[in-house]
Amino acid sequence: QRDDAKRRIVVGFNVRNSDIQTVVDNLKNAVDKEIKFEPGYYTTYGGAFKNLEDARNRLAVAVPIALLLIFMLLFFTFHSFKQAALIFTAIPLSTIGGIIALCISAGIGFIALFGVAVLNGIVLIGEFNHLKLNETKNPLEIIIRGSSSRLRPVLMTALVASLGFLPMALSHGSGAEVQKPLATVVIGGLVSATFLTLFILPVLYLLFEKRALKNQKKNT
């Protein structure tokens, strides 16, 4: 075969029980070590790997845009940069449980994961603000009462999303190589995000509120 007025020899194969990136990396190392090409000969990697690179480049644009939109919506919802940043901490907390299975389909799963993690943060902070406005000004009492009253909604949100992705995580049929990483990221990320959000987010809220009270006393 010829392409661009150059002779092309194609070696094709299917990938199983591994991801494409790992296979191509191993292949590149083996080719570099064991095969010496004559001048004018070189290798390129196409097919699904080329699609993987194209998708990675698109995600490099899509993920930052998604994160920016999430932050903007949080800011417009709470009209507070501090609280928007506080809820936004749920995103790095959610990546801890999902980073292990990182690939392109997993990258798409992270976008869904960020949405659910931020939703749990909104549920908590919204309840904290309600208690602060209507019942008590004590930050410690706010987080204790708010966290206990919103424990069930947060767990239900994470559980529903996790169970929805469970069939994909256990699939072995056609398309499983795409579905399993995506589902694994969402399920693993929600486990860490839910646990850490229920503990880390209230602690950060308490620190921010204590700092705000100190500044308010100084100004007074």
Side-chain angles (χ1 to χ4, degrees):
Q1 297 179 353
R2 291 186 175 273
D3 186 25
D4 267 346
K6 300 174 184 177
R7 176 185 283 181
R8 180 179 64 180
I9 299 174
V10 178
V11 179
F13 56 92
N14 294 325
V15 176
R16 291 181 181 175
N17 301 323
S18 182
D19 62 280
I20 297 172
Q21 183 68 58
T22 301
V23 171
V24 172
D25 289 342
N26 293 337
L27 185 59
K28 286 180 178 179
N29 292 332
V31 169
D32 292 340
K33 291 179 181 179
E34 301 178 16
I35 301 178
K36 301 299 181 183
F37 290 106
E38 295 181 7
Y41 288 83
Y42 58 91
T43 58
T44 59
Y45 301 88
F49 178 71
K50 185 66 168 62
N51 295 335
L52 178 72
E53 289 186 321
D54 293 341
R56 183 183 292 125
N57 293 334
R58 288 194 293 269
L59 277 178
V61 177
V63 171
I65 291 176
L67 294 176
L68 180 62
L69 290 174
I70 288 174
F71 188 84
M72 289 175 60
L73 289 173
L74 289 174
F75 179 78
F76 291 141
T77 300
F78 291 96
H79 303 289
S80 169
F81 183 86
K82 180 182 70 176
Q83 291 195 347
L86 185 62
I87 298 173
F88 207 71
T89 59
I91 290 178
L93 296 179
S94 67
T95 60
I96 295 174
I99 200 71
I100 299 172
L102 186 60
C103 65
I104 288 302
S105 58
I108 299 171
F110 271 118
I111 297 177
L113 174 61
F114 294 160
V116 179
V118 167
L119 179 61
N120 283 339
I122 291 174
V123 170
L124 275 181
I125 298 301
E127 180 65 11
F128 293 165
N129 289 342
H130 173 75
L131 292 173
K132 181 180 179 181
L133 185 64
N134 298 299
E135 299 188 25
T136 178
K137 300 293 184 182
N138 188 325
L140 185 59
E141 185 179 355
I142 287 174
I143 65 170
I144 292 175
R145 292 175 57 183
S147 299
S148 60
S149 66
R150 285 294 173 260
L151 176 62
R152 182 180 296 177
V154 169
L155 291 179
M156 286 181 63
T157 301
L159 191 61
V160 167
S162 299
L163 292 178
F165 281 93
L166 188 60
M168 295 172 62
L170 300 177
S171 65
H172 296 283
S174 177
E177 69 278 0
V178 175
Q179 296 176 4
K180 293 183 73 171
L182 188 153
T184 303
V185 161
V186 175
I187 294 174
L190 284 176
V191 171
S192 66
T194 303
F195 179 78
L196 293 174
T197 298
L198 287 171
F199 287 92
I200 303 298
L201 196 61
V203 171
L204 293 176
Y205 181 87
L206 180 62
L207 293 175
F208 285 173
E209 286 299 308
K210 283 187 174 180
R211 188 173 181 180
L213 286 175
K214 286 183 180 179
N215 292 334
Q216 187 176 2
K217 289 180 179 179
K218 287 182 180 179
N219 294 333
T220 303

